[in-house]
C-alpha cells in the first residue's frame, strides 16, 4: 500500500468514525428528548409542590398564632389561679381571726 492509498484509507476510516459518532449522538438525543407531555407533567408537579409549600407555610403560621393564643390563655388562667389562691388565703386568715374572736367572746360570757 503506497502513501496515497494509506491517506485515502485513513480518511475513509476517520469519516466513517465521524459518521458513527454523529449518528450515536443523534440517537442519544432522540431517545432522551423530553416530550411536551412530560414538560406539562413537570409543570403540574411543580405547581402542586408550590401549592403544598404555601399550605405548609399557612399551617405553620396558624400553629404559631394558635400557640400564642393558648400561651396567653394559660398565662391568664395562672394569674386567675394565683389571685384565687391569694383570696382564699386571705379568707382563711380572716376566718381564723373571726373564730378566735368568737372563741374569746364565748370565753368572756362564761
Amino acid at each position: 500500500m503506497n502513501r496515497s492509498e494509506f491517506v485515502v484509507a485513513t480518511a475513509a476510516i476517520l469519516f466513517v468514525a465521524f459518521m458513527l459518532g454523529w449518528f450515536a449522538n443523534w440517537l442519544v438525543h432522540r431517545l432522551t428528548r423530553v416530550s411536551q407531555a412530560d414538560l406539562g407533567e413537570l409543570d403540574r408537579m411543580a405547581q402542586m409542590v408550590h401549592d403544598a409549600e404555601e399550605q405548609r407555610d399557612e399551617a405553620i403560621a396558624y400553629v404559631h398564632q394558635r400557640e400564642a393564643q393558648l400561651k396567653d390563655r394559660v398565662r391568664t388562667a395562672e394569674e386567675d389561679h394565683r389571685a384565687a389562691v391569694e383570696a382564699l388565703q386571705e379568707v382563711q386568715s380572716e376566718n381564723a381571726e373571726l373564730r378566735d374572736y368568737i372563741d374569746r367572746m364565748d370565753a368572756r360570757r362564761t
Side-chain angles (χ1 to χ4, degrees), residues 5-80:
E5 290 174 347
F6 178 73
V7 168
V8 170
T10 305
I13 291 171
L14 288 176
F15 181 73
V16 169
F18 169 77
M19 291 305 290
L20 285 174
W22 178 82
F23 179 73
N25 182 37
W26 175 81
L27 186 62
V28 166
H29 284 285
R30 179 82 173 153
L31 293 176
T32 60
R33 183 175 53 181
V34 178
S35 68
Q36 288 292 46
D38 291 339
L39 287 177
E41 182 71 16
L42 286 174
D43 287 341
R44 187 181 67 77
M45 288 185 346
Q47 184 63 39
M48 289 174 61
V49 167
H50 179 69
D51 293 342
E53 287 175 346
E54 284 182 356
Q55 289 177 350
R56 182 205 63 204
D57 293 342
E58 290 173 3
I60 289 172
Y62 173 76
V63 165
H64 286 300
Q65 176 189 9
R66 188 69 177 143
E67 182 181 13
Q69 290 173 347
L70 292 175
K71 283 182 180 179
D72 187 46
R73 286 178 64 184
V74 166
R75 188 179 66 250
T76 303
E78 287 174 348
E79 290 172 357
D80 290 346

Side-chain angles (χ1 to χ4, degrees), residues 86-97:
E86 289 173 3
L88 182 61
Q89 287 173 349
E90 288 177 14
V91 167
Q92 287 175 342
S93 172
E94 191 174 314
N95 189 16
E97 289 175 8

